[in-house]
């Protein structure tokens, strides 16, 4: 596991045990100096010459390749840009066009609401009789039949961490003639995936969670290489055009995955992400997954031993779980605020879920035990039962 634990590479505030890297990863130490250099030497000195001279224009593909490496996607099949919600729209719009005689988009009730909202928006915009159908996560496989155009799922449930089997679901979708779209928001940097091996058509995900790209870091989109030259982008922005600087009046889709670019890339944010991705260059995802499971198993064992008030909301079988462990507690919001106040940062998801993420790049077994001690103190002594912990903030 020599290349997994890299605590020294991150800024982790004194007195904080950070169990929320599944929501916003911490800042790699190298980011601030490199972003500063980008600001002063590139934006400051080069001005507009930075687009060519500092490689800004190629950054979305360059960083896309570094993300591709950890999700089993070949070079040239992933590009960065926009936010994940927009990538849902973009991928789904391309996917439904591939199955023109079908009208059902299948998803599940464990999906992140924004993915469902974006699908609803697309359905409403098209006015062609499309339907977004959501079933319980356990019922997805049975709900795939030859009326389904696209199966759109998030692999890891943001609340419980429940994991879909990517290869199995994809092959069932394909056997029924449906296109497969995976959201890897809680997968990329958390568990090993082999997009090529899964044969799915589309995958998308964000980079501010396990990849530590910083708040607002751009999302990624993968299109299976054999399709990249044929899909027609619905978000047909100028930087996805074959020749943006010809300033043609008509859109011609760019080469391969480049067509999934839309507009001007967020260079400052991409620079932070590019630096963060350097930490992944030597990471073996199989080893990282093993380390993540070891931390989660330790956490479950110790919480169940010391804090019987909490009920496991995540699958008990580690093979069925992503890289987080969630617990149900009727006053989960207040309990989480009390825990955070004592330096253990997790988060709360309505209605009653206390969620803790496990990130072996900057957490070890000692952190897990120290966190459990604090959680046990809060729970066993009702330290959460204080008015100030019950006032809901905008972000939970
Ligand atoms: C985190 C997350 C999002 C957030 O989308 P943004 O556009 O980046 O705000 C969307 N979908 C899923 C599945 C997520 O986990």
């Amino acid at each position: 596991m020599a290349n997994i634990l890299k605590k020294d590479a991150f800024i982790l505030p004194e007195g904080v045990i950070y169990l929320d890297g599944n929501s916003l990863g911490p800042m790699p130490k190298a980011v601030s100096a490199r972003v500063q250099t980008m600001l002063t030497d590139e934006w400051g000195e080069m001005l507009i010459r930075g687009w060519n001279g500092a490689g800004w224009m190629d950054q979305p593909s360059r960083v896309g390749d570094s993300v591709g490496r950890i999700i089993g996607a070949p070079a040239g099949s992933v590009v960065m840009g926009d936010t994940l919600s927009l990538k849902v729209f973009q991928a789904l719009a391309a996917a439904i066009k591939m199955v023109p005689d079908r009208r059902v988009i299948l998803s599940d009730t464990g999906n992140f609401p924004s993915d469902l909202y974006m699908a609803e928006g697309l359905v409403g915009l098209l006015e062609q009789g499309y339907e977004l159908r959501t079933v319980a996560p356990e019922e997805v496989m049975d709900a795939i039949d030859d009326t389904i155009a696209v199966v759109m799922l998030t692999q890891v449930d943001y609340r419980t961490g429940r994991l879909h089997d990517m290869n199995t679901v994809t092959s069932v979708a394909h056997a029924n003639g449906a296109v497969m779209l995976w959201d890897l928001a809680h997968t990329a940097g958390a568990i090993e995936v082999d997009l090529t091996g899964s044969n799915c058509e589309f995958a998308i995900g964000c980079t501010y969670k396990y990849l530590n790209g910083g708040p607002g870091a751009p999302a990624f989109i993968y299109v299976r290489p054999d399709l990249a030259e044929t899909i027609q982008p619905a978000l047909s922005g100028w930087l996805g055009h074959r020749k943006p600087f010809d300033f043609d009046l008509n859109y011609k889709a760019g080469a391969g995955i480049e067509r999934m670019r839309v507009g001007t890339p967020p260079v400052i944010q991409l620079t932070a992400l590019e630096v963060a991705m350097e930490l992944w260059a030597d990471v073996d995802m199989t080893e990282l997954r093993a380390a993540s499971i070891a931390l989660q198993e330790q956490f479950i064992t110790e919480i169940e031993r010391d804090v019987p008030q909490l009920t496991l909301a995540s699958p008990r079988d580690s093979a069925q779980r992503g890289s987080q462990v969630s617990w149900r507690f009727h006053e989960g919001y207040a309990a989480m605020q009390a825990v955070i106040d004592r330096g253990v940062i997790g988060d709360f998801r309505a209605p009653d879920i206390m969620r803790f993420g496990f990130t072996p790049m900057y957490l070890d077994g000692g952190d897990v035990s120290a966190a459990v001690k604090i959680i046990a103190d809060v729970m066993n002594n009702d330290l959460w039962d204080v008015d100030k912990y019950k006032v809901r903030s905008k972000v939970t």
Side-chain angles (χ1 to χ4, degrees), residues 83-86 88 111-112 114-115 154 158 183 185-186 206 208-209:
T83 77
L84 178 51
S85 301
L86 286 188
V88 172
N111 206 345
F112 190 77
S114 197
D115 294 40
T154 296
Y158 72 104
D183 188 328
H186 293 273
C206 50
Y208 47 80
K209 292 171 180 161

Side-chain angles (χ1 to χ4, degrees), residues 140-141 144-145 151 153 165-182 195-201 224:
V140 165
M141 297 279 261
I144 302 174
D145 59 25
V151 180
L153 296 171
D165 180 336
M166 182 178 285
N167 292 350
T168 307
V169 178
T170 304
S171 58
V172 171
H174 287 171
N176 285 277
V179 169
M180 187 71 226
L181 161 55
W182 285 108
L195 281 186
T196 300
S198 83
N199 207 30
C200 72
E201 285 85 352
R224 206 174 67 196

Side-chain angles (χ1 to χ4, degrees), residues 235-318:
L235 299 176
S236 40
W238 73 305
L239 289 187
H241 189 280
R242 187 155 295 261
K243 293 198 163 162
F245 285 87
D246 279 5
F247 296 104
D248 266 352
L249 291 184
N250 300 108
Y251 182 79
K252 277 194 216 76
I257 192 67
E258 294 280 318
R259 67 185 58 192
M260 298 317 251
R261 292 177 61 162
V262 181
T264 303
V267 180
I268 302 171
Q269 196 79 67
L270 270 166
T271 301
L273 174 60
E274 188 161 19
V275 177
M277 287 312 298
E278 289 172 8
L279 291 174
W280 294 91
D282 61 355
V283 171
D284 178 320
M285 289 305 293
T286 308
E287 284 186 16
L288 181 126
R289 171 69 169 153
S292 156
I293 288 175
L295 294 173
Q296 295 179 63
E297 293 294 295
Q298 180 193 345
F299 185 64
I300 292 173
T301 303
E302 294 185 8
I303 288 282
E304 292 193 329
R305 181 193 65 202
D306 296 345
V307 197
Q309 304 89 315
L310 297 182
T311 308
L312 187 64
S314 298
R316 186 167 293 277
D317 175 3
S318 61

